[in-house]
Amino acid sequence: MKAVIVRQHGALEALALEERPTPEPGPKQVLVDVHAAGVNFPDLMVIAGTYQTLPQLPFTPGKECAGVVSRVGKGVTTLKRGDRVTALLGHGAFSEQVVLDEKSAHAIPLEMSFPEAAALNLTYLTAHFALVKRAQLKPGEIVLVTGAAGGVGVAAVQIAKALGATVLAAVSTPEKAAAAKASGADHIIDVSVPGLRNGLRDQAFAVTDKHGADVIVDQVGGDVLDASLRAAAWEGRIVLIGFASGRIPEIKAGYILVKNIAVMGLHIGDYRDRQPEEFRRARAQLFDWYRAGKIKPHVMAAYPLQDFLAALNVVKNRQAIGKVVLTTAR
């Protein structure tokens, strides 16, 4: 089988597509023929060696995939050969085949394509846990989503709408604004305006009758998070997902105090490992919303596995609207 291999952390150009032995599933494991694998910003951090958890070198990157079970190990009871499944994993998705623990592979709806199923993992589960578990979003509340045209952003917009919220989508270009609107955003917040520190708050207050955002889902950090804090409502909740801007901001505690703001972090992999049943319930709800037409992954582009560098660079250059996936010739 072919797989993308990282032999040393650093530049993307050091990656190579290599021929590797087909892995054997162990007890309670399944071998999956990968049809699609999602490409995400954390993949870039893992390749660069800057992510919080790193696999041992050499390794195959990729945190989400969808495909067909081709072999089952001893003791597997919930899956069989031929099942269409998807999974969120630590690494290994950028490959023609991957071994998964039985408990981490989930059957997908028949009407869902493999690229959609791959795209419904990291980003949608992250957005679901951010809004439901961490922020405990209530119907009728106002949600501000930063980076609202990216993978997590589109997912957060759609899920917030499914939960009955009003959504403010923070984006930087007209193209990204159109994508956020198409995902269901009620209002667009332009983060390319001069004087962002006040400009973001002024835009948010203008469309919420000066109420601000009850929940802020931020994956950008930097100046955008600094400005977003000023747009938070009294008793607002801010969920920090990542720092795509490259700057990890320092939050002023005094501002948090005077507005009774709660700030919380989210690392989705912890829930996969620590609370697998809650993880499974969240995925089941996502599938229900998909069947009901309330959410739909936006796959911007699908690249053949051999074009992994092009796909990774689209994400690196922040050109992705929705999701980018890799596909195999199956």
Side-chain angles (χ1 to χ4, degrees):
M1 69 168 193
K2 290 183 173 60
V4 177
I5 302 296
V6 179
R7 295 197 173 276
Q8 61 180 20
H9 295 297
L12 296 178
E13 288 70 26
L15 275 64
L17 187 66
E18 300 182 8
E19 193 69 35
R20 306 290 291 175
T22 298
E24 288 289 334
K28 294 289 186 179
Q29 292 183 326
V30 295
L31 177 66
V32 173
D33 292 339
V34 176
H35 286 245
V39 181
N40 298 282
F41 186 79
D43 295 322
L44 299 174
M45 300 175 69
V46 172
I47 293 166
T50 59
Y51 198 61
Q52 54 261 44
T53 56
L54 295 171
Q56 184 176 353
L57 293 166
F59 67 91
T60 294
K63 291 181 172 294
E64 58 186 358
C65 67
V68 176
V69 175
S70 62
R71 199 177 308 164
V72 299
K74 292 182 179 180
V76 172
T77 59
T78 61
L79 296 170
K80 64 183 185 302
R81 190 172 182 273
D83 283 349
R84 303 169 76 248
V85 298
T86 188
L88 179 65
L89 55 158
H91 65 281
F94 295 174
S95 176
E96 290 183 328
Q97 293 174 302
V98 66
V99 166
L100 303 172
D101 290 336
E102 176 186 17
K103 64 181 181 180
S104 68
H106 299 250
I108 62 177
L110 291 175
E111 61 269 34
M112 182 179 288
S113 70
F114 288 118
E116 286 179 323
L120 204 69
N121 279 288
L122 183 62
T123 51
Y124 277 81
L125 285 164
T126 296
H128 188 285
F129 273 85
L131 292 166
V132 176
K133 175 74 172 181
R134 303 298 280 149
Q136 298 183 26
L137 178 65
K138 304 175 186 67
E141 289 192 310
I142 298 169
V143 178
L144 171 65
V145 179
T146 69
V152 174
V154 166
V157 170
Q158 292 181 2
I159 291 172
K161 292 302 296 180
L163 292 168
T166 296
V167 179
L168 316 183
V171 294
S172 58
T173 68
E175 293 78 14
K176 292 179 178 181
K181 274 287 191 180
S183 295
D186 297 284
H187 304 285
I188 298 299
I189 305 298
D190 183 3
V191 297
S192 69
V193 297
L196 181 63
R197 182 173 182 272
N198 293 323
L200 192 154
R201 178 199 59 190
D202 293 345
Q203 292 178 74
F205 280 11
V207 296
T208 62
D209 196 24
K210 296 186 177 180
H211 177 82
D214 299 297
V215 173
I216 297 172
V217 177
D218 179 66
Q219 56 180 321
V220 178
D223 294 343
V224 172
L225 177 59
D226 292 342
S228 296
L229 284 169
R230 298 170 61 80
W234 183 78
E235 285 197 326
R237 291 96 73 200
I238 300 173
V239 185
L240 304 180
I241 294 174
F243 310 105
S245 69
R247 179 172 72 84
I248 301 176
E250 295 182 358
I251 297 174
K252 293 183 178 180
Y255 194 75
I256 301 301
L257 185 150
V258 298
K259 295 188 75 173
N260 289 333
I261 295 172
V263 180
M264 59 201 85
L266 172 64
H267 179 219
I268 190 62
D270 284 346
Y271 287 102
R272 178 195 61 210
D273 299 334
R274 293 172 180 264
Q275 298 180 358
E277 287 307 311
E278 190 160 355
F279 204 75
R280 186 173 290 273
R281 284 193 294 270
R283 194 192 297 275
Q285 185 170 41
L286 291 173
F287 287 161
D288 288 342
W289 283 337
Y290 176 87
R291 293 186 186 97
K294 293 183 177 182
I295 65 171
K296 184 175 177 60
H298 174 68
V299 178
M300 169 189 170
Y303 291 81
L305 182 62
Q306 63 266 27
D307 293 339
F308 64 90
L309 273 179
L312 285 164
N313 276 307
V314 169
V315 176
K316 178 182 177 180
N317 296 328
R318 301 184 68 178
Q319 297 170 328
I321 295 178
K323 288 298 294 282
V324 172
V325 301
L326 296 173
T327 58
T328 62
R330 295 189 179 278

